[in-house]
Amino acid sequence: TTCRSDPAFVLHAVGRDARAFEFADRALRSDRDFVRAAIALDAWALEFVAEELRADPEIVAMALRADPRVLKVASPESVDDVALLLEAARSDPELLTRAPHRLL
């Protein structure tokens, strides 16, 4: 096992800096439960999760609740909760430019 694939090591690193998740093994960045744990430590880990999870509405909603500004790195199609979108816009109105047109 390398550091990149050691769940405890990666979570510790993400807790210090979300950018560490970029270097985690793809298997961890694709594991739904592990991704939830990483986002719970730092919502900005969303930027480095596997693409299919970055587009997952549940994962994105979890990250947005923690820090609305992560909408900047979320897949726009993944945002399906108008209330979350409005909450994000309260912190930064420019985030509405990332909103799916179907919600506006």
Side-chain angles (χ1 to χ4, degrees):
T1 302
T2 67
C3 293
R4 294 170 41 124
S5 60
D6 181 320
F9 180 86
V10 171
L11 284 179
H12 178 75
V14 169
R16 297 180 68 87
D17 186 339
R19 293 174 292 184
F21 204 34
E22 178 180 10
F23 304 102
D25 188 85
R26 176 148 171 70
L28 292 177
R29 292 183 295 116
S30 299
D31 181 284
R32 177 177 293 282
D33 292 330
F34 190 82
V35 164
R36 282 190 197 127
I39 288 173
L41 292 172
D42 190 326
W44 286 95
L46 180 67
E47 184 173 4
F48 305 106
V49 304
E51 191 172 327
E52 64 273 10
L53 291 179
R54 199 174 331 123
D56 182 285
E58 178 189 343
I59 297 293
V60 172
M62 180 182 177
L64 282 174
R65 282 187 197 98
D67 186 340
R69 297 170 301 158
V70 300
L71 185 60
K72 293 177 183 177
V73 298
S75 171
E77 302 80 39
S78 65
V79 180
D80 62 1
D81 186 326
V82 174
L84 277 175
L85 180 61
L86 291 175
E87 184 179 322
R90 269 189 235 117
S91 70
D92 183 353
E94 189 174 309
L95 292 175
L96 284 177
T97 63
R98 301 264 310 143
H101 293 287
R102 63 184 160 69
L103 295 179
L104 300 176

